């Protein structure tokens, strides 16, 4: 056992009680197979699986695109405001069980509007569940609209137009989907417009794509956070820059394992990132597809990389300092972590 823990059970209990924020979560990626079946039935949508077990068996991926194909198919069961409410409410309950006190969650409107579901329907269901989570659990939240990078910049511009009436409920914009071949530079203009509207900026970069994509996210999109960022470690100057700018990386260990970004969880670069002074955080990405919510992600790396109590506290602190909360709220959460630790 590393410093401070006498057993694996004690370490698990420490992680469970640690106040945390989750900064990298695709709400559509929290669709559990049980709910997928329920919504398929409710909406009369055919799905190519006979049982929950069959769905889970199909979740074997060899890269990001393998996963995305099944992820876009899965979200096809979401149609009504109630569906988006149920999806989001289920995730909030799981996050609360992991003592996640603040969430900043992504949604992919183009994955729904392309199927004829209105933007208003998507946002109404998600925000109603987030409002209820605040009342029920005291959980605070921010919503981040992601543009699908395999689609055109014009499509992203049209999506930003659709979001304009709802900017009071949208904290930022992000960039997700198939990374390689769709560099940040493809979206420079739409992100400049979003920034001008006062929105925060994040982007998936360096998950499968090269360090050059991380440079572009910083220089061209002017991101406030990098989602993943793993491949930054291949570029020493970039690591220095990210550390120097206190840039938060939203790292997703079980996602990296399931999408073969790392061969083995023991090869995960999280500890290397922390030791290099990078502001890494631990997140679940698409927990239904990758086998675990936030605490399972903390546990996997704590176990495989022998993380110390101090490392775990740093990760939890980074999750709040890297959030889009105001200074007073950040200070309140950091004080709660210090009191706990
Ligand atoms: N969409 C949902 N999860 C994603 C991931 N890990 N990378 C890129 N796009 C995504
Ligand atoms: Zn992601």
């Amino acid at each position: 056992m590393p410093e401070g823990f006498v057993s694996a059970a004690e370490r698990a209990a420490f992680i469970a009680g640690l106040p945390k924020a989750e900064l990298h979560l695709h709400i559509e990626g929290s669709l559990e197979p049980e709910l997928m079946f329920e919504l398929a039935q409710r909406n009369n949508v055919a799905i190519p699986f006979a049982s929950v077990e069959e769905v889970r068996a199909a979740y074997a991926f060899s890269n990001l695109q393998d996963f995305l194909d099944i992820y876009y198919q899965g979200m096809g069961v979401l149609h009504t405001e109630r569906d988006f409410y149920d999806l989001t409410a289920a995730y909030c309950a799981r996050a609360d069980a992991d003592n996640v006190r603040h969430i900043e969650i992504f949604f992919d409107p183009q994955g729904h509007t392309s199927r004829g579901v209105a933007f208003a329907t998507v946002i109404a269901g998600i925000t109603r569940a987030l409002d209820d989570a605040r009342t029920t659990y005291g959980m605070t939240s921010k919503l981040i609209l992601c543009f699908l990078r395999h689609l055109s910049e014009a499509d992203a511009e049209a999506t930003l137009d659709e979001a304009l009436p709802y900017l009071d409920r949208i904290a930022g914009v992000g960039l997700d989907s198939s990374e390689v071949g769709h560099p940040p530079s493809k979206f420079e203009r739409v992100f400049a417009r979003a920034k001008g509207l006062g929105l925060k900026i994040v982007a998936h970069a360096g998950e499968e794509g090269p360090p050059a994509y991380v440079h572009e996210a910083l220089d061209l999109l002017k991101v406030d956070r990098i989602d993943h960022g793993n491949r930054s470690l291949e570029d020493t100057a970039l690591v220095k820059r990210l550390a120097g700018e206190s840039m938060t990386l939203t790292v997703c260990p079980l996602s990296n394992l399931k999408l073969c970004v790392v061969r083995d969880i023991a090869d995960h670069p999280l500890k290397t990132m922390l030791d290099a002074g990078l502001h890494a955080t631990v997140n679940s990405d698409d927990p239904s597809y990758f086998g675990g919510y936030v605490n399972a992600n903390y546990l996997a790396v704590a176990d495989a990389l022998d993380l110390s109590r101090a490392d775990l506290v740093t990760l939890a602190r980074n999750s709040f300092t890297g959030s889009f909360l105001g200074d007073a709220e950040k200070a309140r959460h950091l004080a709660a972590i210090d009191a706990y630790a």
Side-chain angles (χ1 to χ4, degrees):
M1 268 305 117
E3 159 253 316
F5 296 110
V6 295
S7 68
E10 195 198 346
R11 182 165 56 197
F14 183 77
I15 289 169
L18 196 54
K20 295 165 285 280
E22 173 145 61
L23 306 181
H24 187 152
L25 178 284
H26 302 262
I27 196 62
E28 296 90 347
S30 71
L31 176 64
E32 291 287 345
E34 289 81 1
L35 184 58
M36 189 189 293
F37 269 90
E38 190 182 323
L39 299 186
Q41 206 159 39
R42 194 196 280 176
N43 296 320
N44 230 339
V45 176
I47 51 173
F49 304 108
S51 66
V52 162
E53 291 70 36
E54 228 179 76
V55 179
R56 290 217 161 87
Y59 293 173
F61 315 112
S62 43
N63 54 44
L64 174 59
Q65 193 60 50
D66 264 6
F67 153 71
L68 289 169
D69 291 342
I70 210 159
Y71 165 82
Y72 293 122
Q73 180 185 67
M75 69 174 76
V77 300
L78 296 160
H79 280 266
T80 66
E81 189 268 0
R82 181 180 163 206
D83 300 340
F84 287 93
Y85 176 90
D86 289 350
L87 173 73
T88 309
Y91 164 68
C92 291
R94 295 295 294 260
D96 179 64
D98 278 4
N99 204 25
V100 174
R101 306 316 327 148
H102 175 69
I103 57 176
E104 300 192 354
I105 67 175
F106 303 131
F107 72 119
D108 284 334
Q110 289 156 297
H112 311 301
T113 53
S114 62
R115 301 181 290 111
V117 178
F119 192 100
T121 301
V122 178
I123 203 128
I126 294 174
T127 56
R128 184 162 66 87
L130 295 178
D131 290 345
D132 282 358
R134 187 174 193 127
T135 309
T136 309
Y137 310 120
M139 181 184 291
T140 52
S141 58
K142 308 237 178 234
L143 194 51
I144 299 172
L145 182 167
C146 274
F147 300 120
L148 299 182
R149 67 201 303 159
H150 67 275
L151 300 178
S152 68
E153 187 178 42
D155 208 318
E157 291 277 14
T159 303
L160 184 55
D161 287 339
E162 283 197 278
L164 293 178
Y166 308 101
L167 289 190
D168 58 325
R169 296 307 308 254
I170 297 173
V173 294
L175 187 63
D176 66 359
S177 195
S178 320
E179 186 181 8
V180 174
H182 302 284
S185 54
K186 182 178 162 187
F187 296 93
E188 191 177 349
R189 290 138 298 259
V190 70
F191 274 82
R193 180 155 76 100
K195 203 169 189 73
L197 290 167
L199 291 162
K200 296 285 189 187
I201 305 293
V202 300
H204 285 53
E207 181 184 17
E208 286 188 344
Y213 285 22
V214 180
H215 280 289
E216 283 193 12
L218 295 167
D219 294 330
L220 304 182
L221 305 190
K222 309 202 184 306
V223 291
D224 297 292
R225 282 199 301 252
I226 294 283
D227 295 316
H228 296 294
N230 298 45
R231 289 194 61 191
S232 306
L233 292 172
E234 295 168 23
D235 181 335
T236 313
L238 177 58
V239 170
K240 264 205 180 121
R241 177 180 179 186
L242 292 167
E245 293 180 9
S246 301
M247 180 60 61
T248 296
L249 305 185
T250 63
V251 180
C252 305
L254 291 175
S255 163
N256 294 156
L257 182 65
K258 288 289 264 187
L259 300 186
C260 304
V261 168
V262 295
R263 209 168 26 86
D264 190 283
I265 197 72
D267 300 331
H268 197 279
L270 185 75
K271 177 72 174 151
T272 306
M273 289 170 164
L274 290 177
D275 291 346
L278 295 174
H279 290 227
T281 60
V282 168
N283 308 273
S284 68
D285 206 2
D286 301 281
S288 153
Y289 293 90
F290 302 148
Y293 288 77
V294 166
N295 286 358
N297 276 272
Y298 270 80
L299 259 179
V301 277
D303 188 33
L305 308 178
D306 255 2
L307 298 186
S308 68
R309 190 181 288 252
D311 291 328
L312 296 169
V313 167
T314 297
L315 289 166
R317 289 181 64 88
N318 288 351
S319 74
F320 289 105
T321 54
S323 76
F324 298 141
L325 287 169
D327 289 343
E329 280 179 293
K330 285 184 187 178
R332 179 169 64 78
H333 288 293
L334 295 177
I337 292 174
D338 290 345
Y340 177 77

